Amino acid sequence: MRNRIEVLHGVNLDMLERRPSEHYGRLSLTELEVRVNGFAHELGLETSFSQTNHEGEFCELLHRAPEVADGLLLNPGAWTHYSYAIRDALEVAGLPAVEVHLSAVDEREDWRSESVIRDLCVGTVSGKGVDGYREALSILKERLA
Ligand code: DQA
């Protein structure tokens, strides 16, 4: 059964509770991960979580992902908008991935509308806060069935 989802949080996501609550809500990353773990449990999925502020480390997590996961839930933070290194590493991972953003990236500054990973992903969810992670997990569940 393919049900292992690796959730990767990128740069500045560890500072969630210190970032503007109108975009990111009031949960800390730890609280968010507890919620996401609950969603996954309801859907019969298993999760593992990592966060890093180092782009190369994020790439290495993607390189290793096929050894530990069947699908990826990615919130690379600002790297989403410009990191071709992460894009290439996602291609190396070769796993079904969903891009998720807490905030409505398409309704904010123009530069946030660009995603260099979007076309490699099987779905994108943004602007739905923590509930967006549930939707992203559902997309992955369907994809892995
Ligand atoms: C984010 C949106 C990005 O534009 C931003 O740089 C983040 C978080 C989100 O979850 O809404 O760090 O990915």
Side-chain angles (χ1 to χ4, degrees), residues 35-89:
R35 295 284 301 280
V36 176
N37 198 36
F39 298 153
H41 193 74
E42 286 165 19
L43 291 165
L45 299 170
E46 273 179 24
T47 45
S48 54
F49 296 89
S50 294
Q51 187 278 332
T52 177
N53 291 317
H54 302 278
E55 188 178 8
E57 198 177 328
F58 199 92
C59 291
E60 288 172 359
L61 286 166
L62 287 169
H63 297 166
R64 288 196 296 269
E67 295 158 28
V68 296
D70 304 303
L72 293 166
L73 200 168
L74 302 177
N75 184 349
W79 289 327
T80 307
H81 312 303
Y82 65 87
S83 175
Y84 296 111
I86 286 173
R87 182 197 158 82
D88 285 349

Side-chain angles (χ1 to χ4, degrees), residues 11 13 19 24 75 77-78 81 101-103 105 108 112:
V11 62
L13 269 297
R19 301 185 69 187
Y24 303 115
N75 184 349
H81 312 303
H101 302 285
L102 290 161
S103 68
V105 282
R108 299 178 63 192
R112 288 188 208 271

